[in-house]
Amino acid sequence: MEHLSLPYITIALASLLGGVLACWKAARPRRVAVAAAVLAFISFLAAAYESGTAGQGGLHDPLLPCFLADGLNAVPMAFYAALTLCVVVLAPRRDAAERAPGGMLLISLSMQTAYAAAGWIPMVAGWWLSCVPFALGMFGAQSESRLTSGIRLASCVALTAAVLLLGSASVSDLAHGGKLVFGLLILAVVFRKGLFPLHAGVVQAFEHGPLLPKALLFNGHLGVVLVARTEAAALPEAARHAFDVLSIAAVATVGIASLRAFAEKKPRRLLAYLCISQASFMLAGITSANAEGITGALTHWLVVAAASTGLICIVRALEVRVSSSEDPLMHLGLAAKAPRLATFFLICGLALVGLPGTLGYCAEELIFHGMLQNHLAAGIVLLVATVFNAINLLRLYNTLFLGVLPKHVINIPDALPRERWPLTVCVVFLIFGGLLPSTIIGWRADAAQVLEKALGVEDH
């Protein structure tokens, strides 16, 4: 068993846990959370670099061998740590008070625990830990609906039941799993990702309660992590048929969410449907059993995380500026006073829906090619849904930024410095990735090759 030269993963997880505990009593919890997030990001970045130099093999943490960094999880761990830092910095003052920063770090800790898991026990622990911040009321008593919490709890129960039936902490033992085990794993993914018809839980999560913690939770994409880890094992033929069904469900969610969004006028709900539809792309691609589709899905993972985080943070910043507790049903015309926020929003949104010249275009193009080769009808659905999502994005942009500026929001500020720099990082990543896609795709090359080899896929 090969190990990292230093316990980077232990340091990162310990810094997040320490930040959670320190925020509980700190007078200025945002500063504590930022310091913890920076340390976690540096540690995960070092683990990703060392894992990248080692090739496709996994490097276990020397202090906690139950955690590892490999081609599949190293980049997402560092990327998610960067997103956590961005969200904590971008959070408005009212969202960064009391226990909220600690709750955000706890969400990040849960995701990173599942990402770094070398076996099933840490994976299950990460899934359950993601429920804790909301159960403790760290974001307020009414932070989410019963439907949302019930769906998330059901995903944890399904995964736990599958692992208990499997009776092993080794992912490689999935080859001996029965149909019930794979059925429970698929259910866990469906509940976690909010595939149709369970997408209503994600929409309610966006609509009610604090928005920024939901951004971190949504962009954890633990369902995709579970599918990727499962596919990397030597699976029986029955399991591959199960993933075909999961791919169809993901494609259906892409199409239905893009259509359903046309009936929405409230920004939060419209944004939710847009994010659900685009996030389901990666699940469709990674279950396509196609080299291009898998590579596109792993790249799209980074696109959705960066672009949707930017959009969600901007929407929340605008809500605070207009001091409205309810979604506006009229055009706000905020571009007149917040042109920088309007520009950031438009670039992040267009990258999310695959505008040429951005990384989103490269990722979606790979997914389209992969789906069209093996599933022509599914590929066509994805193409049409992309057009619908672009229309919905422009509808959302028009509602927020175009029109006549209402009298009660005349003196709102544009992007503040603490908002400007994180959003600039997201935009630069999305544009740089579109101009030099081979660099970003190269970050995911090792993971794509591992999955392709396990599935018996050859890249032509």
Side-chain angles (χ1 to χ4, degrees), residues 16-36 88 96-106 138:
L16 292 173
L17 180 58
V20 172
L21 299 176
C23 286
W24 204 277
K25 295 292 185 180
R28 295 182 177 180
R30 189 208 292 268
R31 293 188 178 184
V32 175
V34 168
V88 171
E98 298 180 351
R99 295 186 294 173
M104 294 180 191
L105 291 183
L106 189 55
M138 300 183 76

Side-chain angles (χ1 to χ4, degrees), residues 54 64 95 177 188 197 220 236 293 327 339 367 373 434:
L64 297 174
D95 292 349
D327 290 316
I367 295 175
Q373 287 182 20

Side-chain angles (χ1 to χ4, degrees), residues 266-310:
K266 294 183 177 181
R268 279 198 179 200
R269 290 179 62 88
L270 184 52
L271 179 61
Y273 281 112
L274 180 63
C275 290
I276 291 169
S277 182
Q278 290 300 124
S280 297
F281 268 76
M282 68 179 78
L283 190 57
I286 206 168
T287 55
S288 64
N290 178 279
E292 289 181 321
I294 292 172
T295 305
L298 293 175
T299 307
H300 197 56
W301 185 345
L302 306 181
V303 174
V304 171
S308 65
T309 297

